Amino acid sequence: MLSLTSINTKDIGMAKSLAQIQKEIATLQRQAETLKKREVKDVIERIREAIAFYGLSAADLGLGAAGRKQRKVGAKKKKQTKTIGKVKYRDDAGHSWSGHGRRPQWFLDAIAGGKTPEDLAA
């Protein structure tokens, strides 16, 4: 049986320290990024040549619908305004409610005060 103390790290190929391996990883990552940038330039050039050769447009490539404005990257969408429904209930103080959603406090107070929903109907 083999004990942990009898294992020589050089025998199993673990002569490098963690710091050395991490340094090699960082070097390889930098090399990979450099290669990627170079390859991207080549790919872009080939794509441009194909677009020019075939006369393709952005719409042909699915990069935007014709006649539709393109949002800038990072631009926020405009907030849509809610459409207010037709007023179904109204009181003498000028409060109104469409009848949809949670009942407003003024409506609940009026009902508690003895009025009926028909009394508040607009």
Side-chain angles (χ1 to χ4, degrees):
M1 182 164 252
L2 192 62
S3 70
L4 290 177
T5 56
S6 67
I7 296 177
N8 186 345
T9 56
K10 289 183 181 181
D11 292 338
I12 59 171
M14 296 180 61
K16 295 181 183 181
S17 69
L18 177 61
Q20 289 171 324
I21 292 173
Q22 287 175 331
K23 185 177 177 180
E24 286 180 23
I25 290 171
T27 301
L28 290 171
Q29 285 176 332
R30 283 192 302 272
Q31 290 174 356
E33 190 61 34
T34 302
L35 287 172
K36 182 178 178 181
K37 286 179 184 178
R38 190 177 315 142
E39 288 178 8
V40 165
K41 286 181 184 179
D42 293 340
V43 169
I44 290 172
E45 184 57 35
R46 289 194 313 267
I47 291 171
R48 285 184 178 157
E49 288 173 5
I51 288 171
F53 181 80
Y54 292 103
L56 300 173
S57 69
D60 293 332
L61 300 172
L63 299 175
R68 189 174 74 185
K69 275 188 169 181
Q70 295 290 318
R71 276 193 315 134
K72 291 182 180 177
V73 175
K76 292 184 178 179
K77 288 183 179 179
K78 289 183 181 179
K79 197 172 192 179
Q80 293 182 350
T81 57
K82 288 185 177 180
T83 57
I84 299 173
K86 186 176 176 184
V87 175
K88 192 171 182 181
Y89 302 100
R90 179 169 297 171
D91 69 355
D92 296 333
H95 299 109
S96 61
W97 178 46
S98 67
H100 296 282
R102 195 174 135 230
R103 292 179 179 176
Q105 190 61 46
W106 68 264
F107 186 85
L108 296 173
D109 292 342
I111 299 296
K115 293 202 174 199
T116 65
E118 291 78 26
D119 293 337
L120 300 170

